[in-house]
Amino acid sequence: MEQQLDFLVDKVVAELQKKLTELGEKAPEPKAAAAAEAKAGAQQEAAPAPMASRPQETHAAPAEPERTAQIPNPKWKEGLDELLASTPARIGVWRTGVRPLTKTMLQLRRDHAAAVDAVYGEVSQEVLDQFSLFTVETQYDNTENYLKRPDMGRVLTEEGVRLLQERCQKKPQVQIVVSDGLSASAVDANLKDVLPSLMDSLKSYGLSCGTPFFVKGGRVASMDHIGEILEPEVLVLLIGERPGLVTAHSMSAYMCYRPRKGMVESERTVISNIHRQGTSPIEAGAHIGTILSKMLEQKASGVKLVL
């Protein structure tokens, strides 16, 4: 999807340049910057068709294109290239007058829209059905209240408690919980890779798993309430992270030994930045299984766990 949106941004920039040429007007950007944008548009025109018309993509992480600075004649090109290689932040984007280039602004608005959609969106029911995850809810009530009252996302509803008592295995060795958190997009983008990899990892360590399920409107500390109800030895919560302007698809895995109410954050172990440009979802699933195995061996988590 991100590659498809990048293609659309380049198409818009190319069309703007084309219109300006047809009208005989001079683009407002400096010559070097304008030439760079026109060249990028021309290259995109010659590129393969957008993702929608290509063969169905696999779950393998796509190769990231090499980032290049748009600053014309930088004084220290090697240093700028080194910075670009070290961070996904928006640096070396240049400007026209006092404003960013058109393409930069379009990309920024695209990424901001993706972040908003991640917070206000919902996890695809198809994804939940694929792994037979039933849904319970917290007391968050609605998205606006969820953002203002984090405490209400830490406690399940009475109906949610009843469902867990009726449908879940009690006192499992490992309990897997999935939640939308602050990014429904993260679950849609990563669960298909993370969960099978995690299950394979648990199997390789000879660990048994309880009944996985999905928590709608969950916060990290909802794992404490769930721990009180199901009493697992260890629990892992796969939850969507707060989206940013680099990615809206980042997931975290919070793990805890014998979760219960009143736990402090230092008692949790976490793997964050699980997405295709960060920690690989498949590798994350395998690593989570390894950490859970160590938790069971040491009967500890958080700062007391030795990895």
Side-chain angles (χ1 to χ4, degrees), residues 237-282:
L237 175 66
L238 303 173
I239 188 169
E241 291 181 2
R242 187 185 309 275
L245 295 178
V246 170
T247 180
H249 301 153
S250 188
M251 173 184 280
S252 286
Y254 284 86
M255 294 159 276
C256 191
Y257 179 75
R258 297 197 183 281
R260 61 208 175 276
K261 290 184 178 178
M263 296 196 73
V264 295
E265 296 307 308
S266 62
E267 295 180 274
R268 310 186 204 278
T269 300
V270 61
I271 299 175
S272 59
N273 292 305
I274 301 171
H275 57 90
R276 300 193 191 286
Q277 288 76 49
T279 302
S280 163
I282 294 177

Side-chain angles (χ1 to χ4, degrees), residues 18-32:
K18 182 179 177 181
K19 291 290 185 182
L20 288 171
T21 301
E22 290 175 351
L23 293 172
E25 297 178 0
K26 184 178 179 181
E29 287 80 10
K31 290 182 179 181

Side-chain angles (χ1 to χ4, degrees), residues 2-114:
E2 290 179 357
Q3 289 178 331
Q4 194 169 358
L5 291 173
D6 279 335
F7 174 83
L8 293 175
V9 168
D10 287 334
K11 286 284 288 184
V12 170
V13 172
E15 286 297 319
L16 287 173
Q17 294 290 344
K18 182 179 177 181
K19 291 290 185 182
L20 288 171
T21 301
E22 290 175 351
L23 293 172
E25 297 178 0
K26 184 178 179 181
E29 287 80 10
K31 290 182 179 181
E37 287 200 16
K39 181 179 179 181
Q43 289 175 340
Q44 195 64 54
E45 289 282 357
M51 295 298 290
S53 62
R54 298 180 193 173
Q56 185 174 6
E57 63 177 283
T58 65
H59 293 310
E64 284 295 297
E66 184 179 351
R67 299 177 67 207
T68 56
Q70 295 174 293
I71 299 175
N73 304 316
K75 290 184 177 180
W76 187 25
K77 185 178 185 303
E78 294 79 9
L80 182 57
D81 290 341
E82 185 177 337
L83 285 173
L84 284 168
S86 68
T87 176
R90 286 175 171 81
I91 59 175
V93 295
W94 199 228
R95 57 184 171 78
T96 172
V98 296
R99 71 169 181 82
L101 298 177
T102 302
K103 182 175 179 178
T104 302
M105 283 301 301
L106 289 174
Q107 290 173 331
L108 180 65
R109 296 187 65 169
R110 173 204 67 187
D111 293 338
H112 181 266

Side-chain angles (χ1 to χ4, degrees), residues 13-303:
V13 172
E15 286 297 319
L16 287 173
Q17 294 290 344
K18 182 179 177 181
K19 291 290 185 182
L20 288 171
T21 301
E22 290 175 351
L23 293 172
E25 297 178 0
K26 184 178 179 181
E29 287 80 10
K31 290 182 179 181
E37 287 200 16
K39 181 179 179 181
Q43 289 175 340
Q44 195 64 54
E45 289 282 357
M51 295 298 290
S53 62
R54 298 180 193 173
Q56 185 174 6
E57 63 177 283
T58 65
H59 293 310
E64 284 295 297
E66 184 179 351
R67 299 177 67 207
T68 56
Q70 295 174 293
I71 299 175
N73 304 316
K75 290 184 177 180
W76 187 25
K77 185 178 185 303
E78 294 79 9
L80 182 57
D81 290 341
E82 185 177 337
L83 285 173
L84 284 168
S86 68
T87 176
R90 286 175 171 81
I91 59 175
V93 295
W94 199 228
R95 57 184 171 78
T96 172
V98 296
R99 71 169 181 82
L101 298 177
T102 302
K103 182 175 179 178
T104 302
M105 283 301 301
L106 289 174
Q107 290 173 331
L108 180 65
R109 296 187 65 169
R110 173 204 67 187
D111 293 338
H112 181 266
V116 172
D117 287 346
V119 173
Y120 286 90
E122 294 191 359
V123 174
S124 167
Q125 188 60 44
E126 180 182 350
V127 172
L128 300 180
D129 291 343
Q130 180 177 345
F131 298 105
S132 302
L133 302 178
F134 68 93
T135 299
V136 300
E137 295 191 15
T138 66
Q139 298 179 7
Y140 79 104
D141 190 40
N142 57 62
T143 302
E144 293 297 333
N145 199 52
Y146 175 84
L147 297 174
K148 297 173 182 176
R149 292 285 305 275
D151 57 305
M152 299 186 75
R154 298 168 186 155
V155 182
L156 302 186
T157 62
E158 292 183 4
E159 175 65 13
V161 173
R162 184 187 66 79
L163 284 172
L164 294 192
Q165 291 172 336
E166 290 180 357
R167 302 183 63 171
C168 289
Q169 175 187 336
K170 301 294 175 57
K171 297 185 178 181
Q173 192 173 28
V174 178
Q175 177 64 55
I176 298 174
V177 181
V178 181
S179 181
D180 46 5
L182 283 162
S183 176
S185 301
V187 178
D188 286 342
N190 299 302
L191 192 65
K192 293 179 182 179
D193 289 327
V194 172
L195 193 52
S197 177
L198 171 56
M199 298 299 289
D200 287 345
S201 183
L202 295 177
K203 185 177 179 180
S204 71
Y205 284 105
L207 303 180
S208 61
C209 183
T211 312
F213 58 92
F214 174 72
V215 177
K216 187 173 183 180
R219 291 281 183 171
V220 171
S222 64
M223 62 196 301
D224 301 348
H225 191 196
I226 294 167
E228 292 277 342
I229 300 166
L230 299 180
E231 300 180 60
E233 287 191 63
V234 292
L235 185 149
V236 54
L237 175 66
L238 303 173
I239 188 169
E241 291 181 2
R242 187 185 309 275
L245 295 178
V246 170
T247 180
H249 301 153
S250 188
M251 173 184 280
S252 286
Y254 284 86
M255 294 159 276
C256 191
Y257 179 75
R258 297 197 183 281
R260 61 208 175 276
K261 290 184 178 178
M263 296 196 73
V264 295
E265 296 307 308
S266 62
E267 295 180 274
R268 310 186 204 278
T269 300
V270 61
I271 299 175
S272 59
N273 292 305
I274 301 171
H275 57 90
R276 300 193 191 286
Q277 288 76 49
T279 302
S280 163
I282 294 177
E283 291 179 6
H287 189 45
I288 291 166
T290 300
I291 292 177
L292 293 175
S293 175
K294 290 182 179 294
M295 284 183 179
L296 290 167
E297 290 175 0
Q298 299 178 30
K299 302 185 186 310
S301 58
V303 296

